[in-house]
Amino acid sequence: MARRKIVAGNWKMNKTPSEAVALVEELKPLVASDDVDVVFCVPAIDIIPVAEAVKGTNIAVGAENMYFEEKGAYTGEISPAMLVDAGVKYVVLGHSERREYFAETNETVNKKVLKAFEHGITPIMCCGESLEQREQGVTMDFIRQQVKVGLQNVTAEQAKTMVIAYEPIWAIGTGKTATTEQAQEVCAGIRACIAEVYDDATAEAIRIQYGGSVNAATAPELFAQADIDGGLVGGAALKPDFGKIVNYK
Ligand code: PEP
């Protein structure tokens, strides 16, 4: 069965609650689609107003992070139960910005992935190499480690429902999109890694996005690739362009 495409916007640290609602109202008619899953991953403080604003539409709400404990003395953190209660269906985990600025590791990402599944939240687990790693020829070694450690103790049934976002760090927010060939090659490599860890059925089911300066011009060719099941979109997710990316065909 063909995998359903999924296009998720990562708003990063942008939009106050009132600005977030205004953006949802602007994008709502533009992202309507019967055949693509659409997710708005928004800052924690925007989740409740955005969840209210998307009611009755095809837009699902996602978080940009989550802690791996249930509750307690973790000042400033957000628990999975809080996200579920607020209407969150997806959570971005292990984004390269969180790895770089907030010391996320493959191990903490794995704990978060497991916790998200416990609460019925679909993880969008990010991976991707730096420019240095690409130039050293270790891209796939690095990504295989991120994926394998991130998926420790995740069952095949769980893995089938999740999303992996391949985001080369050198392409995020730089305006430098990976070529279609580069993106397809790594996404195919990730799928092969899933087949090794689990089986072919799991590899066929899991959805793999490309992320890194995706825009309305590059999305059609990227999303047409055999192993690219949509995109994780940063900058362009805050603009009407996002509607063109969702309706890329
Ligand atoms: C991202 O933040 O996940 C991302 C891909 O950003 P951009 O599209 O701006 O490169």
Side-chain angles (χ1 to χ4, degrees):
M1 220 178 74
R3 289 179 298 273
R4 197 173 151 86
K5 301 277 187 216
I6 176 165
V7 176
N10 171 19
W11 288 16
K12 312 196 187 203
M13 197 175 73
N14 292 297
K15 304 297 171 188
T16 64
S18 52
E19 289 169 348
V21 171
L23 181 59
V24 171
E25 294 305 333
E26 184 187 353
L27 294 182
K28 245 188 221 180
L30 307 179
V31 302
S33 166
D34 288 333
D35 41 34
V36 173
D37 288 340
V38 179
V39 189
F40 287 5
C41 300
V42 304
I45 198 163
D46 297 341
I47 288 172
I48 291 175
V50 166
E52 188 58 37
V54 302
K55 272 192 185 145
T57 74
N58 61 319
I59 304 164
V61 181
E64 298 177 13
N65 182 35
M66 180 200 90
Y67 200 46
F68 53 73
E69 295 289 355
E70 288 292 329
K71 60 158 96 169
Y74 303 103
T75 303
E77 291 295 323
I78 309 271
S79 77
M82 291 170 188
L83 295 183
V84 171
D85 192 57
V88 164
K89 304 287 183 216
Y90 294 84
V91 62
V92 176
L93 296 175
H95 191 281
S96 62
E97 287 152 16
R98 294 215 56 87
R99 293 176 190 260
E100 182 179 351
Y101 306 129
F102 303 100
E104 293 249 338
T105 62
N106 293 340
E107 287 73 20
T108 57
V109 171
N110 175 237
K111 286 184 184 181
K112 292 180 178 190
V113 167
L114 292 169
K115 194 49 92 175
F117 278 124
E118 258 182 55
H119 287 265
I121 306 173
T122 301
I124 300 176
M125 187 180 84
C126 302
C127 60
E129 82 288 3
S130 65
L131 188 56
E132 191 183 14
Q133 287 159 337
R134 177 159 283 270
E135 286 171 353
Q136 288 169 340
V138 298
T139 295
M140 229 33 246
D141 304 287
F142 183 73
I143 288 172
R144 283 170 61 85
Q145 180 158 7
Q146 287 185 315
V147 169
K148 283 183 162 183
V149 178
L151 294 180
Q152 291 287 304
N153 300 316
V154 171
T155 68
E157 287 318 302
Q158 289 172 329
K160 279 178 187 163
T161 66
M162 72 181 287
V163 180
I164 293 181
Y166 165 54
E167 301 204 304
I169 297 168
W170 48 271
I172 297 178
T174 58
K176 216 177 179 185
T177 317
T179 65
T180 305
E181 293 71 30
Q182 286 170 326
Q184 161 59 21
E185 184 185 20
V186 176
C187 290
I190 293 170
R191 204 175 298 287
C193 177
I194 299 295
E196 270 171 47
V197 174
Y198 298 101
D199 48 43
D200 287 346
T202 308
E204 276 308 306
I206 197 165
R207 292 189 288 180
I208 304 175
Q209 296 173 316
Y210 167 77
S213 300
V214 172
N215 59 41
T218 55
E221 199 177 285
L222 284 163
F223 297 177
Q225 301 308 301
D227 291 290
I228 302 180
D229 305 314
L232 182 57
V233 182
L238 302 170
K239 300 181 196 153
D241 238 26
F242 193 62
K244 295 194 186 128
I245 296 173
V246 168
N247 292 295
Y248 64 97
K249 274 193 198 155

